[in-house]
Structures are given as structure tokens and as C-alpha cells.
């Protein structure tokens, strides 16, 4: 198998830019203490409780909770994908890109073309 590392590196870098933009679009930002982790900048249910007293509108609370849950779920999914992309870029740097993380066998080229951030062979896919 001949890996064109430049091509895969460009794809991974482009995906990282896209994922970071998407993360920013769901109101999250990189955690200053851990750049591999993103934190919410949207209103949480605790925030709305602090801002209001007995006059809390149940609809506002429900909307805030719903928005928080959607943002949290999307944030988690995007973070996981970004971690895979960053892991793959680290493997490019280490000279191990294209090898399965579990058994070290070469990942089929078609699999990497479909998903450049794939870190395992078919046998060890989750």
C-alpha cells in the first residue's frame, strides 16, 4: 500500500479546521487549561436559576435545558471526532499513520480514503 501522506495530512488538517469551526458554532471554546477539551459558553440550567428568583418561567427553564442538552451532545460528538483527527495527525508526525493502533497492521487504503482519521483496521474497529 502506498500512502500519500501529503494528501491525507491535508484532508486531516482541513477536517480539523472544519470541526473547530463547528465547535465554535455550538457556542463552545477551547478550554484554556486543556486545549484538547472544549467548554460550553452557552447558558446552563444553573445559570438561569442564578439569574432568576421565584419568577422563573418554566418554559424558559425547559428551553434552556433543551438547548444545553443539544449543545452538550453535539459538543461531545465533535470533540471526539476532533480527538481522532488530532491523533491521526500525531501518527503522521510519528511515522505511524496508516497502522492499526491495536495490532500495528496496515489499515486498508480504501478505509483511510473513506475516513482519514480511522485508527484501526477492520478487525479492531469498534
Amino acid at each position: 500500500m502506498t500512502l500519500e501522506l501529503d494528501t491525507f495530512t491535508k484532508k486531516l488538517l482541513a477536517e480539523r479546521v472544519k470541526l473547530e469551526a463547528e465547535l465554535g458554532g455550538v457556542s463552545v471554546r477551547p478550554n484554556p487549561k486543556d486545549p484538547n477539551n472544549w467548554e460550553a459558553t452557552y447558558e446552563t440550567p444553573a445559570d438561569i436559576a442564578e439569574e432568576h428568583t421565584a419568577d422563573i418561567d418554566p418554559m424558559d427553564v425547559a428551553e434552556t435545558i433543551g438547548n444545553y442538552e443539544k449543545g452538550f451532545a453535539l459538543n461531545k460528538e465533535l470533540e471526539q471526532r476532533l480527538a481522532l483527527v488530532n491523533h491521526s495527525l500525531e501518527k503522521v508526525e510519528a511515522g505511524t499513520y496508516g497502522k492499526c493502533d491495536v495490532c500495528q497492521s496496515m489499515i486498508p487504503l480504501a478505509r483511510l480514503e473513506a475516513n482519514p482519521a480511522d485508527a484501526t483496521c477492520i478487525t479492531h474497529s469498534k
Side-chain angles (χ1 to χ4, degrees), residues 28-99:
V28 295
R29 64 174 178 246
N31 181 332
K33 296 177 183 172
D34 180 4
N36 293 319
N37 189 17
W38 291 65
E39 59 186 21
T41 59
Y42 42 84
E43 191 172 45
T44 67
D47 295 332
I48 199 168
E50 282 181 18
E51 294 171 7
H52 301 87
T53 55
D55 64 341
I56 295 176
D57 181 353
M59 293 302 290
D60 288 342
V61 173
E63 183 179 352
T64 299
I65 291 171
N67 290 340
Y68 179 79
E69 288 175 347
K70 282 189 263 179
F72 183 82
L74 182 56
N75 175 42
K76 190 77 169 162
E77 183 180 320
L78 292 171
E79 268 189 344
Q80 290 171 342
R81 182 67 187 163
L82 182 59
L84 289 173
V85 168
N86 285 332
H87 176 66
S88 293
L89 287 166
E90 290 168 3
K91 288 176 71 171
V92 168
E93 291 294 317
T96 60
Y97 180 76
K99 292 184 180 179

